[in-house]
Amino acid sequence: MTPIQLDPLYEAKKHEEQIYSLWLSQAAFHSEPNPDKTPFVVMMPPPNVTGYLHIGHALNMTLQDIAIRYKRMKGFETLWLPGMDHAGIATQAVVERQIKEQGLTKEGLGRDEFVRRIWEWKEKYGGIILSQLKKLGVSADWDRLRFTLDEPYERAVKAAFVHYYEKGLLYKGQRITNWCPRCHTAISDIEVMYANEKGHLWYIRYPFADGSGSVTIATTRPETILGDAAVAVNPADPRYTDIVGKEVIVPIANRTIPVIADEAVLLDFGTGALKITPGHDPTDFEVGRRHNLPSMAVIGLDGLMNENALHYSGMSTIEAREKIVAEIDALGLLEKVDDYEHSVGHCSRCASTIEPIVTDQWYLRMKDLAVRALQAEREGKVEVLPVKWRKVYEGWLENINDWCVSRQLWWGHRIPVYHCEDCGEVIASVDAPHVCPKCGSSHITQESDVLDTWFSSALWPFATLGWPEQSASLTYYYPTSLLITGYDIIFFWVARMVISGLEFMDDVPFHTVFITGLVRDEQGRKMSKSLKNQVDPLDLISMYGTDALRFTMASLSTYGGQDILLSDQKLLSSRNFINKLWNATRFVVAGVDVKETLAGPRPSDDQLGLFDRWILTRLAGATRDVTAKMDVYDFGEASHRLYEFIWGDFCDWYIELAKIPLRDETRAPATRWVLAYVLEQTLRLLHPFVPFVTETITQQLYGGDHLMATTAYPEADAMTTYDKDATQADFLIGFIKAVRNLKAVFHLPPTEKQSVVVAGAESDIAAIMANAEAVKFVGRFADIGTELDSTQRYIKGAYGAMQVMILAKSDFDYEGELKVLEGKLELLHADTTKLEARLGNQDFLARAPAEV
């Protein structure tokens, strides 16, 4: 044979681009409906075209890729459909910042030109994102790439809107809305980030109109006093039963408003009496609707005090607050001011403080839609993993509000509603009407607002497959199999996809939702620019290689969905593991032609040595364990089991043990076959996790059209096992470990050969002696005996019921080591005394958990 020459170290940069090009040239990731195969479908959570991928994407994409590569190798017809999201408000915000640096505004550019600039951004950063995904080894079907503003997708979004409209589920109305003064648009409740801020609680007296005194209210927002419509108290509050129905005077405004009773008022907040401002507080808005109160806004859409704010018009809310408090104080109506920390809402896109304002918006009625999505999860049609996230999913659906789906933006799906300027007819249509169906007028204008980006992404699992057309792909691939996503968008996206799937396809969009944790730094802190701990996945790939990053992400992920703590040490450990595999391959191919060997017959059982049988049994066990974990998406445990088998069983033990029979031409052929077989099966097991290095090795071994990416996954049931032999081999390996541990305890050089004496059961000693050659070679023993030399000193230890003794050399510091042991023994005695005292304490026993 001509030995294959592998580089001394695996150089990721040298191979990764070439390997990915090979996969693409062989169409390894492409999928077509195949009635002879079971489909396994994953819809890629589409990254936003707002910039570059972050480390969270690296985690999410890695886990999806592991799942899809595994199922592809298991014989499923796999489709991983990739795409990108236009991301409405987020993308518009970044382009607005970009043109601002050029001294421009979107208003100055106009709608068409501004949208054209965003398309330019999308082309640039969409291309960057695609190249980053390929760098990560993503095995998606790029022939099916989708974007949420592509023309076919846009038709699907319009069809969904018209469906809801005609069903009476969409309506336009004046309601309190989360308004972002910076982005100049409404945002939904779940797009508001809350943060505790230090502020004040102002106690202000409202005089009774009849001059009989006053009632004191507490507020965190005195700047909205000018819009007050009532003072409210709880009907169960005995302090205020006599004043309900009376009228009070609004300070500064000098308007009279009623005192009302409503159960929304908390008895223990402030004085128990609240000002009600329906135009600027969601709770107050609902109270106002129940009591038919007027709703007046005193803050405009620009975040400044408006014309209803009297002489404070044009001021910022903070400036107006200071001046209003000063004026109330001057009127003698400010009772006191307390420090107060409260939760303040901010826009999740630009971090500006949210202003609740009554605006005219489109809403989707959600109550009835949510019932089906809740039922589907409870009946097991959609399984949410880990189970702890089921309560989050259920809780949101149980307490759902109508969804504000309109946004005052220019980038996105423009609402397909048209107005006749002559007769006032309202038309919802997928295709733009040229004339009014009611009066025939051609004076028709379209709504200027766009849809919330989550409205379109909620259709992702079926709109990407051709819906509303009943395509072959839609019939074959829907419902999909698995969704992997972060816990931060369970209700943004996951629940809404279930709602949409049930409404439009009459079936759930996916069978399993696997929720991952977030990636944090090694101190457990969230990755952020302010902490300067953000990492670019491409930087990590450049430093450690893609496979090292992928294996780290997989090994750190947990089935409980805990957050991942990323560190350079963990990445370095993964890179070392990949190099360990590479070096193991170098050893094998130096003496074995893997392709030729595996093309030949399998050795008979009697040709296999004890340790050949042992590694084959261990391989079968690892295959069974890994398969079981992969089938339930427990990628962390699967990767740990692979690491344990490859680094421990195969590299540290079998490769060393194989060196003995390889010297013997009688035994060598069987061992060469085992080395080739175990290496090849190991590469298959590892491929979903580290596809580049495994494919690189496979190309070296086989070349041509033989792709690891499309090779069958190992089947444990097809592997022959030798349990009795494996048990004996485990005993011998355990014996070697016991001697190594004894050497380590007494600081003997690990490479120095010592004479070892054993005493114990005849069967154990016989097993050791029968395999003395292998045990001495791997254990680095000078010799193994059963008789002590009475003139010599020995270091004694134990291995099960056996005594293990190492002959001490003349320079061994026997007395010094004895003193060290005596010191350790004293510490153990002291610890034992403390524990016995604690266990003798009945109070401790009563309080301590059972496991303690």
Side-chain angles (χ1 to χ4, degrees):
M1 62 166 275
T2 303
I4 293 170
Q5 296 295 321
L6 294 182
D7 295 333
L9 284 174
Y10 173 66
E11 296 178 55
K13 288 179 185 176
K14 181 177 174 180
H15 302 286
E16 289 180 356
E17 192 172 332
Q18 177 187 342
I19 290 297
Y20 202 88
S21 297
L22 176 67
W23 290 329
L24 293 182
S25 69
Q26 298 282 341
F29 312 147
H30 183 64
S31 179
E32 290 292 340
N34 183 347
D36 296 329
K37 283 186 173 185
T38 304
F40 182 86
V41 187
V42 175
M43 290 291 174
M44 180 185 291
N48 295 341
V49 288
T50 48
Y52 302 97
L53 296 184
H54 54 70
I55 197 67
H57 289 114
L59 168 67
N60 197 277
M61 296 299 171
T62 294
L63 298 186
Q64 290 177 78
D65 194 51
I66 290 170
I68 210 80
R69 285 181 184 271
Y70 170 71
K71 292 292 185 178
R72 187 181 291 123
M73 294 175 78
K74 290 288 281 185
F76 289 82
E77 184 58 48
T78 55
L79 170 63
W80 187 11
L81 193 145
M84 289 176 287
D85 197 314
H86 68 282
I89 187 172
T91 307
Q92 178 160 321
V94 294
V95 177
E96 279 192 71
R97 285 197 293 272
Q98 184 192 49
I99 64 169
K100 186 179 180 181
E101 292 170 3
Q102 302 165 10
L104 302 170
T105 65
K106 66 181 177 67
E107 290 77 15
L109 289 174
R111 185 168 190 151
D112 290 345
E113 175 59 19
F114 179 68
V115 169
R116 188 191 68 77
R117 299 267 185 129
I118 302 182
W119 274 107
E120 282 183 357
W121 172 280
K122 180 264 172 186
E123 290 306 312
K124 176 183 177 181
Y125 285 95
I128 291 171
I129 287 168
L130 290 184
S131 68
Q132 288 178 309
L133 290 171
K134 291 173 182 178
K135 278 269 190 189
L136 283 166
V138 161
S139 63
D141 185 348
W142 298 111
D143 296 334
R144 293 178 179 268
L145 180 67
R146 298 290 181 266
F147 179 54
T148 53
L149 276 178
D150 286 342
E151 195 278 330
Y153 202 98
E154 194 157 20
R155 286 192 69 81
V157 173
K158 289 175 180 177
F161 185 96
V162 171
H163 167 90
Y164 282 133
Y165 182 85
E166 291 177 347
K167 201 173 178 180
L169 294 176
L170 272 167
Y171 65 94
K172 197 171 189 182
Q174 290 251 333
R175 294 184 58 176
I176 196 92
T177 312
N178 299 303
W179 183 265
C180 176
R182 157 64 186 77
C183 297
H184 298 291
T185 181
I187 63 174
S188 64
D189 291 345
I190 54 180
E191 289 173 300
V192 180
M193 300 183 304
Y194 287 92
N196 283 345
E197 292 185 4
K198 290 182 178 178
H200 296 94
L201 201 55
W202 286 270
Y203 290 78
I204 299 167
R205 285 193 287 270
Y206 282 52
F208 291 120
D210 61 8
S212 61
S214 64
V215 60
T216 301
I217 63 96
T219 180
T220 60
R221 302 201 66 196
E223 67 273 18
T224 62
I225 274 176
L226 302 175
D228 285 357
V231 166
V233 297
N234 192 295
D237 194 333
R239 295 172 293 178
Y240 297 118
T241 49
D242 295 340
I243 69 166
V244 175
K246 296 185 77 168
E247 290 193 327
V248 295
I249 300 170
V250 179
I252 302 175
N254 291 320
R255 288 184 292 107
T256 57
I257 57 174
V259 178
I260 61 172
D262 194 283
E263 290 180 348
V265 179
L266 301 175
L267 293 164
D268 57 352
F269 176 79
T271 63
L274 294 181
K275 63 193 246 10
I276 301 299
T277 319
H280 293 291
D281 184 273
T283 303
D284 292 5
F285 180 79
E286 296 301 328
V287 172
R289 289 176 67 173
R290 286 196 289 273
H291 296 269
N292 294 315
L293 299 175
S295 176
M296 180 172 69
V298 294
I299 300 169
L301 300 181
D302 56 3
L304 303 177
M305 305 302 287
N306 66 14
E307 66 279 2
N308 294 327
L310 306 177
H311 46 289
Y312 300 105
S313 177
M315 293 184 188
S316 70
T317 54
I318 299 300
E319 185 184 1
R321 177 183 295 176
E322 292 175 357
K323 293 185 179 296
I324 286 172
V325 168
E327 187 171 346
I328 288 171
D329 193 19
L331 292 169
L333 298 176
L334 183 62
E335 192 169 288
K336 65 173 180 172
V337 183
D338 286 345
D339 290 335
Y340 186 70
E341 188 173 293
H342 61 133
S343 186
V344 177
H346 299 84
C347 174
S348 62
R349 301 303 176 188
C350 71
S352 300
T353 300
I354 288 301
E355 191 59 62
I357 295 178
V358 175
T359 56
D360 204 18
Q361 303 287 346
W362 284 93
Y363 291 90
L364 179 61
R365 303 180 202 277
M366 298 296 286
K367 292 284 185 189
D368 291 342
L369 294 171
V371 168
R372 286 189 74 189
L374 197 58
Q375 185 180 2
E377 186 271 331
R378 286 177 173 163
E379 290 177 353
K381 292 175 183 174
V382 176
E383 184 180 25
V384 178
L385 300 171
V387 292
K388 68 178 180 181
W389 295 115
R390 291 177 190 171
K391 287 186 178 178
V392 176
Y393 173 93
E394 292 177 3
W396 185 68
L397 289 171
E398 286 169 341
N399 300 288
I400 203 164
N401 296 314
D402 286 357
W403 177 10
C404 175
V405 297
S406 50
R407 297 290 181 269
Q408 290 63 55
L409 302 170
W410 287 353
W411 174 247
H413 293 277
R414 198 162 169 182
I415 291 176
V417 170
Y418 304 85
H419 300 272
C420 176
E421 294 177 10
D422 292 333
C423 73
E425 180 73 357
V426 178
I427 310 134
S429 173
V430 173
D431 297 305
H434 298 295
V435 296
C436 173
K438 186 176 180 182
C439 73
S441 168
S442 59
H443 300 142
I444 293 172
T445 56
Q446 186 179 357
E447 290 262 340
S448 60
D449 289 355
V450 301
L451 287 163
D452 177 11
T453 188
W454 297 103
F455 185 94
S456 54
S457 56
L459 314 177
W460 187 249
F462 50 91
T464 50
L465 295 171
W467 185 89
E469 304 302 323
Q470 196 63 35
S471 67
S473 289
L474 185 63
T475 303
Y476 181 75
Y477 293 117
Y478 190 94
T480 71
S481 311
L482 172 69
L483 175 74
I484 298 181
T485 189
Y487 61 69
D488 49 340
I489 55 173
I490 291 175
F491 27 75
F492 274 108
W493 192 45
V494 177
R496 285 170 173 170
M497 279 193 287
V498 177
I499 285 170
S500 300
L502 291 166
E503 179 67 17
F504 297 108
M505 295 295 297
D506 199 33
D507 201 351
V508 294
F510 28 69
H511 297 304
T512 305
V513 182
F514 187 82
I515 305 294
T516 69
L518 301 182
V519 183
R520 299 180 180 273
D521 68 13
E522 57 189 316
Q523 297 173 45
R525 300 176 304 174
K526 193 172 182 179
M527 302 283 191
S528 71
K529 288 179 183 175
S530 59
L531 291 173
K532 296 180 180 177
N533 64 349
Q534 278 188 329
V535 289
D536 185 335
L538 292 192
D539 289 342
L540 298 180
I541 286 172
S542 177
M543 211 176 309
Y544 300 102
T546 301
D547 287 333
L549 175 60
R550 288 171 61 107
F551 198 77
T552 300
M553 290 300 181
S555 62
L556 292 177
S557 69
T558 65
Y559 206 57
Q562 283 91 353
D563 287 344
I564 281 173
L565 307 186
L566 187 65
S567 70
D568 286 326
Q569 187 55 47
K570 287 166 183 171
L571 287 158
L572 186 61
S573 172
S574 293
R575 188 175 68 184
N576 291 343
F577 172 64
I578 287 157
N579 277 320
K580 188 83 168 177
L581 173 72
W582 185 259
N583 287 330
T585 305
R586 289 180 70 222
F587 170 81
V588 174
V589 300
V592 182
D593 185 324
V594 173
K595 183 178 179 180
E596 186 179 298
T597 300
L598 293 180
R602 182 189 193 281
S604 62
D605 286 354
D606 58 358
Q607 289 174 310
L608 295 170
L610 175 69
F611 292 104
D612 296 330
R613 295 172 182 167
W614 171 77
I615 194 64
L616 291 172
T617 306
R618 296 291 283 177
L619 172 66
T623 302
R624 186 168 286 107
D625 293 345
V626 171
T627 302
K629 293 299 180 184
M630 294 289 273
D631 284 341
V632 295
Y633 314 116
D634 192 348
F635 307 118
E637 284 302 312
S639 65
H640 296 158
R641 185 68 179 88
L642 283 169
Y643 184 98
E644 175 188 276
F645 171 75
I646 294 159
W647 191 298
D649 295 343
F650 187 50
C651 296
D652 282 357
W653 288 103
Y654 183 70
I655 283 179
E656 289 303 306
L657 290 159
K659 291 174 182 176
I660 300 167
L662 285 176
R663 299 172 187 159
D664 180 347
E665 269 313 307
T666 307
R667 295 187 288 165
T671 297
R672 287 195 197 104
W673 185 91
V674 173
L675 280 166
Y677 177 75
V678 175
L679 174 64
E680 208 260 357
Q681 296 295 305
T682 294
L683 293 172
R684 295 188 192 201
L685 288 169
L686 261 180
H687 179 74
F689 294 88
V690 287
F692 287 108
V693 68
T694 51
E695 192 71 82
T696 299
I697 294 171
T698 300
Q699 291 307 303
Q700 295 285 341
L701 299 181
Y702 292 95
D705 297 335
H706 186 102
L707 286 186
M708 179 58 73
T710 52
T711 302
Y713 201 77
E715 298 286 345
D717 291 344
M719 296 177 178
T720 307
T721 57
Y722 308 88
D723 294 338
K724 187 176 178 182
D725 294 304
T727 300
Q728 186 177 354
D730 282 333
F731 168 78
L732 296 170
I733 288 169
F735 170 69
I736 296 168
K737 286 179 180 178
V739 178
R740 285 179 180 174
N741 289 340
L742 195 58
K743 289 170 72 172
V745 168
F746 291 103
H747 313 104
L748 301 178
T751 56
E752 188 176 273
K753 293 186 177 182
Q754 282 92 11
S755 295
V756 177
V757 177
V758 292
E762 284 184 20
S763 58
D764 290 343
I765 292 171
I768 291 169
M769 292 308 181
N771 295 278
E773 182 186 19
V775 170
K776 283 163 59 178
F777 176 75
V778 177
R780 292 191 174 93
F781 305 160
D783 55 67
I784 305 174
T786 57
E787 299 292 334
L788 290 173
D789 183 342
S790 59
T791 66
Q792 300 290 336
R793 282 180 151 183
Y794 291 86
I795 300 162
K796 294 184 179 181
Y799 173 50
M802 289 178 61
Q803 270 198 318
V804 180
M805 292 153 280
I806 299 173
L807 180 63
K809 293 196 173 179
S810 57
D811 60 351
F812 180 70
D813 184 6
Y814 207 88
E815 281 69 27
E817 291 291 347
L818 201 58
K819 284 182 180 177
V820 171
L821 281 179
E822 286 171 350
K824 288 181 178 178
L825 196 60
E826 282 182 21
L827 289 173
L828 286 171
H829 277 309
D831 285 343
T832 305
T833 303
K834 285 180 187 175
L835 288 170
E836 285 175 343
R838 197 178 294 177
L839 290 170
N841 182 333
Q842 292 303 314
D843 184 48
F844 170 79
L845 291 177
R847 287 183 294 106
E851 62 270 19
V852 174

